[in-house]
Amino acid sequence: MSALIPSPSPRPPAAALQIDGVSRRYGERLAVAEVSWSAHAGETVCLLGHSGCGKTTLLRLIAGIEAPDSGCIRIDGEAVSAADRFVPAQHRRVGMVFQDYALFPHLDVLDNVMFGLRAQPRAQRLATAHAALERVGLASRARHFPHTLSGGEQQRVALARALAPAPRVLLMDEPFSNLDRRLRDRVRDETMALLREAGITAVVVTHDPREALCIADRIVLMHRGRVEQDATPQVLYRQPASLFAASFFSTLNEVPGEVRGGSVETALGRFDAGRVNDGPAVVGLRPHDLRIAQHGIAATVVDALFLGEVMQLRVQVANLATPLIVHTAPAAATRRGQIVHLGVAPDAALVFPLPPAH
Protein backbone atom coordinates (compact mmCIF):
# COMPACT_ATOMS: atom_id res chain seq x y z
CA MET A 1 0.00 0.00 0.00
CA SER A 2 1.42 3.37 -0.96
CA ALA A 3 2.20 5.90 1.72
CA LEU A 4 -0.28 8.71 2.21
CA ILE A 5 0.94 11.98 0.76
CA PRO A 6 0.10 14.89 3.07
CA SER A 7 -2.04 17.59 1.57
CA PRO A 8 -0.19 20.84 0.94
CA SER A 9 -0.85 23.59 3.47
CA PRO A 10 -3.44 26.05 2.19
CA ARG A 11 -1.85 29.21 0.85
CA PRO A 12 -2.78 32.47 2.55
CA PRO A 13 -5.11 34.60 0.43
CA ALA A 14 -3.32 36.89 -2.00
CA ALA A 15 -3.10 40.55 -1.03
CA ALA A 16 -5.50 42.71 -3.02
CA LEU A 17 -3.53 45.75 -1.88
CA GLN A 18 0.08 45.80 -0.73
CA ILE A 19 1.99 48.76 0.68
CA ASP A 20 5.77 48.24 0.95
CA GLY A 21 8.02 50.82 2.59
CA VAL A 22 6.06 53.80 1.28
CA SER A 23 7.21 57.31 2.22
CA ARG A 24 6.01 60.79 1.24
CA ARG A 25 7.60 64.09 2.19
CA TYR A 26 6.31 67.66 1.83
CA GLY A 27 9.35 69.91 2.12
CA GLU A 28 10.84 69.25 5.56
CA ARG A 29 7.79 67.38 6.83
CA LEU A 30 7.73 63.59 6.52
CA ALA A 31 4.00 62.86 6.16
CA VAL A 32 4.30 59.08 5.61
CA ALA A 33 7.42 57.24 6.78
CA GLU A 34 8.28 53.76 5.46
CA VAL A 35 4.74 52.42 5.87
CA SER A 36 4.07 48.75 5.10
CA TRP A 37 0.83 46.76 5.35
CA SER A 38 -1.54 44.80 3.10
CA ALA A 39 -5.24 44.11 2.63
CA HIS A 40 -6.59 40.75 1.51
CA ALA A 41 -9.42 40.40 -1.00
CA GLY A 42 -12.77 41.29 0.59
CA GLU A 43 -11.14 42.71 3.72
CA THR A 44 -12.00 46.07 5.29
CA VAL A 45 -8.93 47.84 6.67
CA CYS A 46 -9.29 51.03 8.70
CA LEU A 47 -6.52 53.62 8.66
CA LEU A 48 -6.95 55.16 12.10
CA GLY A 49 -5.20 58.07 13.76
CA HIS A 50 -5.28 61.71 14.77
CA SER A 51 -5.41 64.51 12.21
CA GLY A 52 -2.05 64.94 10.52
CA CYS A 53 -0.84 61.37 11.15
CA GLY A 54 -0.59 60.60 7.41
CA LYS A 55 -3.67 58.48 6.82
CA THR A 56 -5.29 60.70 4.16
CA THR A 57 -1.93 61.19 2.44
CA LEU A 58 -1.59 57.40 2.26
CA LEU A 59 -5.07 57.14 0.75
CA ARG A 60 -4.10 59.66 -1.94
CA LEU A 61 -0.95 57.66 -2.70
CA ILE A 62 -3.00 54.47 -3.12
CA ALA A 63 -5.48 56.26 -5.37
CA GLY A 64 -2.71 57.65 -7.57
CA ILE A 65 -3.59 61.26 -6.82
CA GLU A 66 0.00 61.62 -5.59
CA ALA A 67 3.18 59.59 -6.08
CA PRO A 68 5.28 58.31 -3.17
CA ASP A 69 8.90 59.42 -2.80
CA SER A 70 9.92 55.81 -2.17
CA GLY A 71 8.42 52.38 -1.72
CA CYS A 72 5.97 50.34 -3.77
CA ILE A 73 2.19 50.02 -3.98
CA ARG A 74 0.67 46.92 -5.61
CA ILE A 75 -2.97 46.25 -6.48
CA ASP A 76 -3.82 42.63 -7.26
CA GLY A 77 -0.08 41.99 -7.60
CA GLU A 78 0.43 44.79 -10.14
CA ALA A 79 2.88 47.55 -9.18
CA VAL A 80 1.00 50.84 -9.60
CA SER A 81 3.57 53.01 -7.80
CA ALA A 82 7.23 52.03 -7.78
CA ALA A 83 10.67 53.46 -8.51
CA ASP A 84 10.31 52.74 -12.24
CA ARG A 85 6.54 52.77 -12.68
CA PHE A 86 3.56 55.02 -11.96
CA VAL A 87 0.04 54.15 -13.11
CA PRO A 88 -2.22 57.26 -13.28
CA ALA A 89 -5.28 57.35 -11.04
CA GLN A 90 -7.75 56.84 -13.91
CA HIS A 91 -6.10 53.54 -14.87
CA ARG A 92 -5.87 51.97 -11.40
CA ARG A 93 -9.52 50.87 -11.11
CA VAL A 94 -9.69 52.30 -7.62
CA GLY A 95 -12.97 53.72 -6.35
CA MET A 96 -13.02 56.64 -3.93
CA VAL A 97 -15.69 58.08 -1.63
CA PHE A 98 -14.72 61.51 -0.28
CA GLN A 99 -15.67 63.06 3.04
CA ASP A 100 -17.93 65.64 1.37
CA TYR A 101 -19.14 63.07 -1.24
CA ALA A 102 -18.01 65.39 -4.14
CA LEU A 103 -21.28 65.00 -6.07
CA PHE A 104 -21.79 67.27 -9.08
CA PRO A 105 -24.67 69.62 -8.15
CA HIS A 106 -25.64 70.27 -11.80
CA LEU A 107 -26.06 66.52 -12.52
CA ASP A 108 -28.90 64.35 -11.29
CA VAL A 109 -28.24 61.17 -9.32
CA LEU A 110 -28.13 58.89 -12.37
CA ASP A 111 -25.73 61.14 -14.27
CA ASN A 112 -23.51 61.42 -11.19
CA VAL A 113 -23.23 57.64 -11.07
CA MET A 114 -22.67 57.42 -14.84
CA PHE A 115 -19.85 59.97 -14.70
CA GLY A 116 -17.12 57.38 -14.06
CA LEU A 117 -18.35 55.13 -16.88
CA ARG A 118 -17.63 57.43 -19.80
CA ALA A 119 -15.59 54.82 -21.67
CA GLN A 120 -18.63 52.54 -22.03
CA PRO A 121 -21.45 52.79 -24.62
CA ARG A 122 -24.37 54.83 -23.31
CA ALA A 123 -26.77 51.87 -23.04
CA GLN A 124 -24.24 49.97 -20.97
CA ARG A 125 -23.56 53.03 -18.82
CA LEU A 126 -27.27 53.41 -18.10
CA ALA A 127 -27.67 49.76 -17.18
CA THR A 128 -24.59 49.77 -14.93
CA ALA A 129 -25.62 52.99 -13.18
CA HIS A 130 -29.18 51.77 -12.58
CA ALA A 131 -27.79 48.51 -11.15
CA ALA A 132 -25.48 50.44 -8.80
CA LEU A 133 -28.36 52.62 -7.58
CA GLU A 134 -30.51 49.52 -7.10
CA ARG A 135 -27.72 48.02 -4.99
CA VAL A 136 -27.71 51.00 -2.61
CA GLY A 137 -31.51 51.29 -2.55
CA LEU A 138 -31.80 54.56 -4.50
CA ALA A 139 -33.21 53.48 -7.86
CA SER A 140 -36.33 55.58 -7.25
CA ARG A 141 -34.19 58.73 -6.80
CA ALA A 142 -32.32 58.39 -10.11
CA ARG A 143 -33.62 61.66 -11.57
CA HIS A 144 -33.36 63.73 -8.38
CA PHE A 145 -30.59 66.27 -7.84
CA PRO A 146 -28.09 66.00 -4.95
CA HIS A 147 -29.43 69.04 -3.05
CA THR A 148 -32.84 67.35 -2.73
CA LEU A 149 -31.36 64.31 -0.94
CA SER A 150 -30.63 63.74 2.72
CA GLY A 151 -27.05 63.39 3.91
CA GLY A 152 -27.40 59.63 4.10
CA GLU A 153 -28.80 59.45 0.56
CA GLN A 154 -25.96 61.61 -0.80
CA GLN A 155 -23.47 59.26 0.85
CA ARG A 156 -25.14 56.28 -0.85
CA VAL A 157 -25.03 58.03 -4.23
CA ALA A 158 -21.29 58.61 -3.74
CA LEU A 159 -20.93 54.93 -2.87
CA ALA A 160 -22.90 53.85 -5.95
CA ARG A 161 -20.72 56.08 -8.16
CA ALA A 162 -17.56 54.55 -6.66
CA LEU A 163 -18.82 50.97 -7.08
CA ALA A 164 -20.26 51.31 -10.59
CA PRO A 165 -16.92 50.83 -12.45
CA ALA A 166 -16.26 47.60 -10.43
CA PRO A 167 -13.12 48.87 -8.67
CA ARG A 168 -10.39 46.52 -7.50
CA VAL A 169 -10.14 48.48 -4.24
CA LEU A 170 -12.55 50.99 -2.68
CA LEU A 171 -11.06 53.90 -0.71
CA MET A 172 -13.24 55.88 1.71
CA ASP A 173 -12.04 59.08 3.41
CA GLU A 174 -14.02 59.78 6.60
CA PRO A 175 -17.19 58.72 4.72
CA PHE A 176 -19.61 59.00 7.66
CA SER A 177 -18.25 62.04 9.51
CA ASN A 178 -20.70 64.55 7.95
CA LEU A 179 -23.73 62.66 9.27
CA ASP A 180 -25.27 63.15 12.70
CA ARG A 181 -24.59 60.34 15.20
CA ARG A 182 -27.91 58.48 14.88
CA LEU A 183 -27.93 58.56 11.07
CA ARG A 184 -24.20 57.83 10.95
CA ASP A 185 -24.57 54.50 12.74
CA ARG A 186 -27.39 53.33 10.47
CA VAL A 187 -25.72 54.42 7.20
CA ARG A 188 -22.39 52.97 8.32
CA ASP A 189 -23.92 49.59 9.17
CA GLU A 190 -25.83 49.47 5.86
CA THR A 191 -22.74 50.46 3.87
CA MET A 192 -20.47 47.89 5.49
CA ALA A 193 -23.08 45.14 5.05
CA LEU A 194 -23.27 45.99 1.34
CA LEU A 195 -19.47 45.94 0.94
CA ARG A 196 -19.14 42.60 2.70
CA GLU A 197 -21.97 41.08 0.67
CA ALA A 198 -20.27 42.22 -2.53
CA GLY A 199 -16.81 41.05 -1.37
CA ILE A 200 -15.31 44.52 -1.87
CA THR A 201 -11.79 45.21 -0.60
CA ALA A 202 -12.07 48.52 1.25
CA VAL A 203 -9.72 50.94 2.97
CA VAL A 204 -11.54 53.37 5.28
CA VAL A 205 -9.87 56.42 6.82
CA THR A 206 -11.26 57.50 10.18
CA HIS A 207 -10.15 59.34 13.32
CA ASP A 208 -12.92 57.70 15.39
CA PRO A 209 -11.71 54.63 17.34
CA ARG A 210 -15.28 53.49 18.03
CA GLU A 211 -16.06 53.53 14.32
CA ALA A 212 -12.88 51.60 13.50
CA LEU A 213 -13.69 48.93 16.09
CA CYS A 214 -17.19 48.56 14.61
CA ILE A 215 -16.34 48.21 10.93
CA ALA A 216 -12.78 46.95 10.49
CA ASP A 217 -11.51 43.45 9.88
CA ARG A 218 -8.13 44.98 10.64
CA ILE A 219 -6.96 48.36 11.92
CA VAL A 220 -3.75 50.10 10.91
CA LEU A 221 -3.16 52.62 13.70
CA MET A 222 -0.93 55.48 12.53
CA HIS A 223 1.10 57.95 14.58
CA ARG A 224 3.30 60.71 13.15
CA GLY A 225 3.40 59.14 9.71
CA ARG A 226 4.29 55.64 10.89
CA VAL A 227 2.35 52.47 11.65
CA GLU A 228 2.00 52.22 15.43
CA GLN A 229 0.22 48.85 15.30
CA ASP A 230 -1.45 46.68 12.65
CA ALA A 231 -3.89 44.16 14.13
CA THR A 232 -7.50 43.05 14.44
CA PRO A 233 -9.77 45.28 16.55
CA GLN A 234 -9.78 42.72 19.37
CA VAL A 235 -5.98 42.50 19.52
CA LEU A 236 -5.51 46.27 19.28
CA TYR A 237 -7.90 46.87 22.18
CA ARG A 238 -6.83 44.00 24.44
CA GLN A 239 -3.15 43.75 23.56
CA PRO A 240 -2.00 47.24 22.54
CA ALA A 241 1.66 47.36 21.52
CA SER A 242 2.34 50.77 23.10
CA LEU A 243 1.01 53.29 25.56
CA PHE A 244 -0.14 55.41 22.60
CA ALA A 245 -2.16 52.51 21.17
CA ALA A 246 -3.70 51.72 24.56
CA SER A 247 -4.76 55.32 25.21
CA PHE A 248 -6.18 55.83 21.71
CA PHE A 249 -9.16 53.54 22.25
CA SER A 250 -10.40 54.81 25.60
CA THR A 251 -9.63 56.99 28.56
CA LEU A 252 -6.63 55.45 30.28
CA ASN A 253 -5.48 55.83 33.86
CA GLU A 254 -1.68 55.95 33.75
CA VAL A 255 -0.16 54.74 37.00
CA PRO A 256 3.63 54.85 37.53
CA GLY A 257 5.35 51.66 38.57
CA GLU A 258 8.61 49.77 38.81
CA VAL A 259 9.16 46.40 37.13
CA ARG A 260 11.23 43.80 38.97
CA GLY A 261 11.47 40.16 37.98
CA GLY A 262 8.30 39.98 35.88
CA SER A 263 6.04 41.99 38.23
CA VAL A 264 5.33 45.70 38.47
CA GLU A 265 4.82 47.47 41.81
CA THR A 266 2.38 50.40 41.90
CA ALA A 267 0.35 52.41 44.39
CA LEU A 268 -2.57 50.13 43.47
CA GLY A 269 -0.69 46.89 44.13
CA ARG A 270 1.41 44.41 42.18
CA PHE A 271 0.61 43.24 38.65
CA ASP A 272 2.09 40.85 36.11
CA ALA A 273 4.49 42.78 33.91
CA GLY A 274 4.64 40.22 31.08
CA ARG A 275 7.81 40.64 29.06
CA VAL A 276 8.55 44.23 30.12
CA ASN A 277 12.15 44.60 31.28
CA ASP A 278 13.08 45.71 34.79
CA GLY A 279 12.92 49.46 35.34
CA PRO A 280 10.42 52.37 35.43
CA ALA A 281 7.08 51.58 33.82
CA VAL A 282 3.57 52.88 33.22
CA VAL A 283 0.54 50.74 34.07
CA GLY A 284 -2.55 51.57 32.02
CA LEU A 285 -5.95 50.85 33.55
CA ARG A 286 -9.22 51.60 31.75
CA PRO A 287 -12.01 53.17 33.86
CA HIS A 288 -14.25 50.08 33.66
CA ASP A 289 -11.41 47.88 34.93
CA LEU A 290 -11.40 49.76 38.25
CA ARG A 291 -14.29 49.09 40.60
CA ILE A 292 -15.59 50.06 44.00
CA ALA A 293 -15.03 47.11 46.36
CA GLN A 294 -15.55 46.15 50.00
CA HIS A 295 -11.81 45.96 50.48
CA GLY A 296 -8.90 47.35 48.52
CA ILE A 297 -6.91 50.55 48.08
CA ALA A 298 -8.47 53.53 49.91
CA ALA A 299 -9.41 56.47 47.72
CA THR A 300 -11.27 59.76 48.19
CA VAL A 301 -14.04 60.73 45.77
CA VAL A 302 -13.15 64.05 44.14
CA ASP A 303 -16.32 64.30 42.04
CA ALA A 304 -19.04 62.17 40.45
CA LEU A 305 -20.56 62.67 37.01
CA PHE A 306 -23.74 60.92 35.86
CA LEU A 307 -23.32 59.75 32.24
CA GLY A 308 -26.53 57.73 31.86
CA GLU A 309 -25.29 54.16 31.55
CA VAL A 310 -22.43 54.71 33.98
CA MET A 311 -21.41 56.97 36.83
CA GLN A 312 -17.96 58.44 36.29
CA LEU A 313 -15.97 59.03 39.45
CA ARG A 314 -12.69 60.83 39.89
CA VAL A 315 -10.94 59.46 42.96
CA GLN A 316 -7.68 60.41 44.63
CA VAL A 317 -5.31 57.72 45.88
CA ALA A 318 -2.48 58.51 48.26
CA ASN A 319 0.94 58.57 46.53
CA LEU A 320 -0.61 59.25 43.10
CA ALA A 321 -0.29 62.76 41.67
CA THR A 322 -3.35 62.50 39.40
CA PRO A 323 -6.90 61.37 40.31
CA LEU A 324 -8.10 58.12 38.75
CA ILE A 325 -11.24 57.83 36.63
CA VAL A 326 -13.58 54.99 37.59
CA HIS A 327 -16.79 53.89 35.87
CA THR A 328 -19.42 52.32 38.13
CA ALA A 329 -23.10 51.43 37.95
CA PRO A 330 -25.32 54.55 38.13
CA ALA A 331 -27.10 53.11 41.18
CA ALA A 332 -23.90 53.34 43.23
CA ALA A 333 -24.41 56.04 45.88
CA THR A 334 -21.27 58.17 46.07
CA ARG A 335 -20.61 61.73 47.14
CA ARG A 336 -17.69 64.11 47.06
CA GLY A 337 -15.27 63.50 49.90
CA GLN A 338 -16.45 59.94 50.49
CA ILE A 339 -13.81 57.29 51.18
CA VAL A 340 -14.14 54.26 48.90
CA HIS A 341 -11.99 51.22 48.22
CA LEU A 342 -10.74 50.26 44.78
CA GLY A 343 -10.34 46.84 43.23
CA VAL A 344 -8.75 46.06 39.87
CA ALA A 345 -10.19 43.54 37.40
CA PRO A 346 -7.93 40.47 36.96
CA ASP A 347 -5.45 40.75 34.07
CA ALA A 348 -6.61 44.31 33.36
CA ALA A 349 -3.21 45.99 33.78
CA LEU A 350 -1.52 47.10 30.56
CA VAL A 351 2.19 47.48 31.34
CA PHE A 352 4.62 49.51 29.22
CA PRO A 353 8.18 50.74 29.71
CA LEU A 354 8.27 54.40 30.73
CA PRO A 355 8.57 56.42 27.48
CA PRO A 356 11.71 58.59 27.35
CA ALA A 357 9.72 61.83 27.09
CA HIS A 358 6.93 60.77 29.47
Side-chain angles (χ1 to χ4, degrees), residues 248-267:
F248 198 92
F249 288 91
S250 72
T251 300
L252 196 71
N253 294 298
E254 298 181 21
V255 179
E258 186 77 21
V259 176
R260 294 191 187 90
S263 295
V264 58
E265 292 283 353
T266 75

Side-chain angles (χ1 to χ4, degrees), residues 10 25 42-44 48-49 64 91 118 126 133-134 136 146 152 185 228 246 270 272 294 324 327 347:
R25 183 183 292 276
E43 189 175 35
T44 296
L48 176 66
H91 298 307
R118 286 169 292 177
L126 280 169
L133 287 172
E134 189 73 44
V136 300
D185 290 349
E228 187 76 14
R270 177 184 293 181
D272 179 17
Q294 290 291 101
L324 302 174
H327 286 172
D347 303 320

